[in-house]
């Protein structure tokens, strides 16, 4: 899983600011998944993307959250106007098929 | 709806003792089943997976898991626990018909005492 790169590792934002989380999938992987892990909970699926397409965003909150996976560059999870409840670890995974390789996550703290 | 249940929130075992972590799932089709381990502040590392075939699967670090369809279970076992096994363990179900997104259990935290 060391091949999936997420940055930053830690991100601190004040309420109302924007948070941008980046994920570079493993080489050759065209599927990217974002998960959120709230304190003392398991990971919850947020969104599934392929290059330039959102395949499934059923786990994304309806407001303030968006994700993209452009033709070039990393996948971006964007959280606008962050609130304290957004504090969590956000994990990205990439996959060829049938198995996800996870990054080490971005830990977002909203103060 | 799909769900994964890990009934034990926290388990403490002595080093050298055997370990079994429970996982039950609810899913209408043939599941893809996984166990991941997460050390503090780290990402998830795959221990083992079941797709089909032999219901007893071997993984890394001496772990194994057995798929029991009749019980909808996929319990993780290790015959002799090492102190370095202390971590959070997550069971996950992968969907076969809507892509690769996973449903995770809430995790079992393992403490190993000397």
């Amino acid at each position: 899983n060391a091949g999936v790169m997420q940055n930053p590792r830690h991100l601190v934002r004040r309420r109302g600011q924007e948070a941008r989380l980046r994920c570079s999938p493993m080489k050759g992987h065209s599927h990217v998944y974002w998960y959120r892990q709230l304190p003392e909970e398991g990971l919850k699926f947020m969104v599934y993307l392929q290059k330039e397409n959102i395949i499934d965003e059923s786990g994304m909150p309806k407001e303030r959250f968006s994700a993209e996976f452009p033709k070039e560059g990393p996948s971006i999870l964007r959280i606008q106007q962050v609130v304290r409840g957004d504090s969590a670890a956000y994990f990205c995974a990439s996959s060829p098929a049938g198995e996800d390789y996870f990054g080490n996550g971005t830990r977002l703290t909203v103060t | 709806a799909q769900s994964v249940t890990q009934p034990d929130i926290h388990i403490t075992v002595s080093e050298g003792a055997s370990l079994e972590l429970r996982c039950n799932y609810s899913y209408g089709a043939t599941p893809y089943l996984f166990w991941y381990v997460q050390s503090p502040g780290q990402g998830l590392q795959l221990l083992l997976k079941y797709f089909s075939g032999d219901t007893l699967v071997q993984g890394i670090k001496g772990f194994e898991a057995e798929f029991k369809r009749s019980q909808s279970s996929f319990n993780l076992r290790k015959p002799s626990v090492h102190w370095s096994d202390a971590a959070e363990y997550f069971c996950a179900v992968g969907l076969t018909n809507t892509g690769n997104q996973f449903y995770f259990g809430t995790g079992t935290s393992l403490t190993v005492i000397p």
Side-chain angles (χ1 to χ4, degrees):
Chain A
N1 64 353
V4 179
M5 304 302 296
Q6 289 188 250
N7 65 82
R9 288 293 304 273
H10 299 275
L11 182 61
V12 180
R13 286 286 178 266
R14 292 199 181 111
R15 278 181 298 171
Q17 290 185 319
E18 179 180 286
R20 280 181 178 247
L21 289 64
R22 287 177 290 278
C23 169
S24 297
M26 287 183 72
K27 188 175 181 180
H29 289 188
S30 59
H31 305 248
V32 167
Y33 312 83
W34 285 93
Y35 294 82
R36 177 165 63 176
Q37 184 181 30
L38 294 169
E40 302 191 3
E41 292 189 14
L43 280 74
K44 296 279 195 297
F45 166 74
M46 299 181 75
V47 62
Y48 165 33
L49 308 106
Q50 292 182 17
K51 286 283 187 182
E52 300 184 278
N53 286 304
I54 296 174
I55 307 302
D56 180 353
E57 56 182 349
S58 58
M60 287 276 273
K62 294 287 188 285
E63 297 177 348
R64 301 188 297 108
F65 285 72
S66 62
E68 62 177 11
F69 188 18
K71 188 176 180 181
E72 302 290 337
S75 175
I76 306 288
L77 179 67
R78 182 180 176 209
I79 311 173
Q80 295 177 288
Q81 300 175 333
V82 297
V83 301
R84 287 223 172 103
D86 297 332
S87 295
Y90 292 82
F91 289 93
C92 168
S94 74
S95 168
E99 177 182 332
D100 287 3
Y101 293 82
F102 283 84
N104 284 340
T106 294
R107 279 148 184 87
L108 172 66
T109 302
V110 179
T111 61
Chain B
Q2 301 82 4
S3 67
V4 180
T5 302
Q6 292 181 247
D8 304 305
I9 296 174
H10 191 99
I11 284 183
T12 299
V13 299
S14 298
E15 192 168 14
S18 63
L19 171 71
E20 183 169 30
L21 303 182
R22 295 183 290 167
C23 173
N24 293 94
Y25 66 89
S26 172
Y27 182 54
T30 302
Y32 290 9
L33 295 162
F34 304 81
W35 274 99
Y36 285 86
V37 61
Q38 184 183 32
S39 297
Q42 299 297 313
L44 280 73
Q45 181 182 22
L46 179 67
L47 286 176
L48 47 77
K49 61 190 177 187
Y50 171 79
F51 285 1
S52 64
D54 192 347
T55 56
L56 183 64
V57 293
Q58 302 297 322
I60 62 171
K61 304 184 179 185
F63 285 92
E64 67 177 25
E66 186 172 11
F67 170 53
K68 293 185 177 179
R69 186 186 302 274
S70 62
Q71 298 177 18
S72 296
S73 69
F74 189 57
N75 294 348
L76 182 71
R77 300 193 294 250
K78 186 169 185 178
S80 178
V81 170
H82 188 263
W83 64 266
S84 61
D85 293 325
E88 190 87 15
Y89 291 81
F90 292 97
C91 179
V93 170
L95 306 187
T96 59
N97 59 346
T98 56
N100 298 340
Q101 62 268 35
F102 291 176
Y103 289 84
F104 283 84
T106 51
T108 297
S109 176
L110 174 65
T111 297
V112 180
I113 55 178

